[in-house]
Amino acid sequence: MSVFFYGCITLDGYLADKNHGLSWLHETGSPEETDCDCFYSEMDVTIMGRRTFEEIARLEDPGSAYPTTENYVFTHEDSLPQNGFTPVSGDVVGFVKSLGGDRNIWIVGGNTILAPLLERDMVDYLIIQIAPVLLEDGIPLFTQKGRMKRYRLDSVKQYGQFAELIYSKSGKNPCNFLIEDG
């Protein structure tokens, strides 16, 4: 099992503005400018929080956004209005462990989902795209507590206005789809 965080932040480290909005991101570029489709084709599972799910639902039909993966949304709701997504609650660490197997798991967004996984050293790859935006205030990507974590920089790419940094925990990158000869 490999756990990935793949997402975009501002230069000052925010995932979203203070109201959980992503207008800063949509005004900067589009996923078509990145390797998002290539990355997604290698994923088996997506995990996101309710706010990330709601943002996706505002932009498009969520089912068409993630058609080939098992999709889980951490929420207190018993059901979701869109097909293709399963609501889950409880401990994200235990849930990820229960998925097991030889699967690629994408943590789509949300520091409340990411932080406990980082605290338990369960995130194998951080793929962070940086947009040329300074928000000054917002929802930060990293909120984990505990000891220092180290990752190895495997690749740096430019997509339009975005810089993409690919880090691996072990320094051994079996995911060749992440690093292509340019």
Side-chain angles (χ1 to χ4, degrees), residues 42-100:
E42 299 293 329
M43 295 299 110
D44 302 301
V45 174
T46 69
I47 299 174
M48 64 192 78
R50 177 67 184 212
R51 288 190 174 127
T52 299
F53 174 75
E54 289 172 350
E55 184 66 26
I56 292 166
R58 266 194 287 278
L59 297 175
E60 57 191 300
D61 169 31
S64 68
Y66 304 108
T68 62
T69 48
E70 295 173 31
N71 305 299
Y72 298 98
V73 179
F74 270 81
T75 179
H76 297 291
E77 304 296 323
D78 293 330
S79 64
L80 296 168
Q82 286 81 13
N83 292 329
F85 291 83
T86 304
V88 293
S89 61
D91 174 39
V92 68
V93 170
F95 180 75
V96 168
K97 286 179 180 179
S98 76
L99 294 172

Side-chain angles (χ1 to χ4, degrees), residues 116-181:
L117 296 170
L118 285 169
E119 289 168 6
R120 297 298 261 313
D121 288 324
M122 292 178 66
V123 179
D124 300 295
Y125 302 94
L126 295 168
I127 304 166
I128 302 170
Q129 294 165 350
I130 302 172
V133 176
L134 293 170
L135 282 181
E136 296 182 34
D137 192 14
I139 310 302
L141 173 58
F142 297 112
T143 60
Q144 75 280 353
K145 301 196 179 3
R147 62 183 174 81
M148 179 176 64
K149 311 281 187 263
R150 288 208 185 266
Y151 283 81
R152 172 189 153 94
L153 179 63
D154 290 325
S155 178
V156 177
K157 299 178 184 178
Q158 180 178 350
Y159 296 106
Q161 290 299 301
F162 298 101
E164 181 178 81
L165 307 173
I166 300 176
Y167 295 96
S168 64
K169 181 169 66 173
S170 66
K172 297 176 185 171
N173 193 341
C175 301
N176 292 329
F177 68 92
L178 294 176
I179 301 174
E180 300 170 2
D181 295 326

